[in-house]
Each structure stands twice: as C-alpha cells, then as structure tokens.
Amino acid sequence: MASKCELCGKGPSWGMSVSHSHRRTKRRWNPNIQRIRASVNGATKRVNVCTGCIKSGKVVKAG
C-alpha cells in the first residue's frame, strides 16, 4: 500500500535525522494512512485516507 492519501494527496516527506553529535542520516516521514470504509458518491468504498482528513470531516465513514 502506498503511503498516500486518496483525498488530499498527502504523501511522505524526506529529510535528515540529526543526532546529538550532528551526524545526519536520511529519513522519511510517512503520513498516518488508514484504510476505512467510506461513503463516496452514495456508494460504500474502501479508501486510504490520512487521519487529518478523517478528523476534519472531509470523509464520511460508512456505518
């Protein structure tokens, strides 16, 4: 599963992990992607969405 939100398009970001001695190593921050059953255009569908979209109400859970 790709770590990308199907609603807002949020994906991973890259950067450096910096230790106390300032040695830098590459790392990646993944968004918190959840696979949920949601109501999309009146139909129930499984979608991969980030928790930010779930909390903000951009997606309606099917119940």
Side-chain angles (χ1 to χ4, degrees):
M1 179 176 78
S3 58
K4 189 162 190 121
C5 179
E6 293 179 12
L7 224 60
C8 66
K10 184 187 284 186
S13 61
W14 292 268
M16 292 285 190
S17 181
V18 182
S19 70
H20 181 68
S21 64
H22 211 69
R23 286 180 62 98
R24 296 169 55 184
T25 53
K26 291 181 180 174
R27 64 157 295 179
R28 174 174 151 155
W29 286 269
N30 287 323
N32 190 357
I33 301 292
Q34 303 295 321
R35 187 165 171 83
I36 63 166
R37 289 175 62 234
S39 180
V40 180
N41 296 331
T44 302
K45 187 179 167 186
R46 287 203 181 270
V47 289
N48 298 322
V49 291
C50 65
T51 52
C53 290
I54 296 170
K55 286 182 202 173
S56 66
K58 289 182 185 175
V59 63
V60 179
K61 284 189 174 182

